[in-house]
């Protein structure tokens, strides 16, 4: 009984240390972000966009008719000069949104000259937005 209590106490102490070491606990650690370009970068077209995800799995949408979603899994979407969509919204299959239903995280994209916002938004297998999984940067596209 006493040994069990000690083991439990040590385990709890180790868990606390692990949490301190990892900095953030889920779901706050779950996020998507631009690997490139950097926020505020000056770029020329075609612009290489590369997306990253932490504590979340990116995968292709299954082939055929999809009727359900898989937990903690989705794919990237990017838009130019658009806002993050509210949680649970179906991401339009039209401009300015581009779906990466093949699970890819990179594209060379033509962008018009000028200052633009780039919005990265993850959607589930039904292309619906997931809470907290959106990120925005701005770039200055020169000719
Ligand atoms: Cu999609």
């Amino acid at each position: 009984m006493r040994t069990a209590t000690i083991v439990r106490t040590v385990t709890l102490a180790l868990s606390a240390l692990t949490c301190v070491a990892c900095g953030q606990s889920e779901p706050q650690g779950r996020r998507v972000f631009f690997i490139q370009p950097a926020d505020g970068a000056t770029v020329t077209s075609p612009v290489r966009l590369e997306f990253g995800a932490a504590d979340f799995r990116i995968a292709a949408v299954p082939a055929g008719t999809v009727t359900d979603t898989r937990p903690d899994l989705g794919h990237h979407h990017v838009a130019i000069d658009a806002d993050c969509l509210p949680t649970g919204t179906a991401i339009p299959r039209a401009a300015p949104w581009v779906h990466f239903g093949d699970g890819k995280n990179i594209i060379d994209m033509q962008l018009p000259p000028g200052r633009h916002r780039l919005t990265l938004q993850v959607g589930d297998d039904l292309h619906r937005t997931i809470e907290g999984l959106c990120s925005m940067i701005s770039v200055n596209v020169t000719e």
Side-chain angles (χ1 to χ4, degrees):
M1 183 79 171
R2 170 160 276 199
T3 306
T5 306
I6 291 168
V7 168
R8 190 156 168 251
T9 305
V10 169
T11 306
L12 283 173
L14 284 174
S15 312
L17 281 176
T18 306
C19 263
V20 168
C22 69
Q24 287 182 319
S25 60
E26 285 187 1
Q28 289 140 327
R30 194 170 80 159
R31 64 191 186 100
V32 290
F33 51 90
F34 283 88
I35 295 171
Q36 60 172 317
D39 188 18
T42 297
V43 295
T44 53
S45 280
V47 183
R48 174 151 293 186
L49 308 182
E50 189 175 359
F51 321 126
D55 287 339
F56 189 82
R57 207 146 59 93
I58 298 296
V61 177
T65 305
V66 177
T67 56
D68 209 354
T69 61
R70 296 170 287 173
D72 301 318
L73 190 155
H75 59 280
H76 292 295
H77 305 76
V78 74
I80 180 171
D81 297 326
D83 291 320
C84 288
L85 298 167
T87 301
T89 304
I91 299 165
R93 294 171 187 271
W97 291 100
V98 177
H99 291 244
F100 293 77
D102 56 5
K104 287 203 172 116
N105 74 326
I106 195 163
I107 187 172
D108 291 330
M109 190 175 264
Q110 291 290 335
L111 296 176
R115 284 212 156 271
H116 297 287
R117 285 178 299 145
L118 296 174
T119 303
L120 173 64
Q121 175 109 54
V122 159
D124 60 22
D125 286 337
L126 293 172
H127 312 275
R128 292 180 310 206
T129 58
I130 300 168
E131 185 174 14
L133 294 181
C134 187
S135 165
M136 284 173 69
I137 61 169
S138 65
V139 292
N140 184 26
V141 184
T142 57
E143 291 186 74

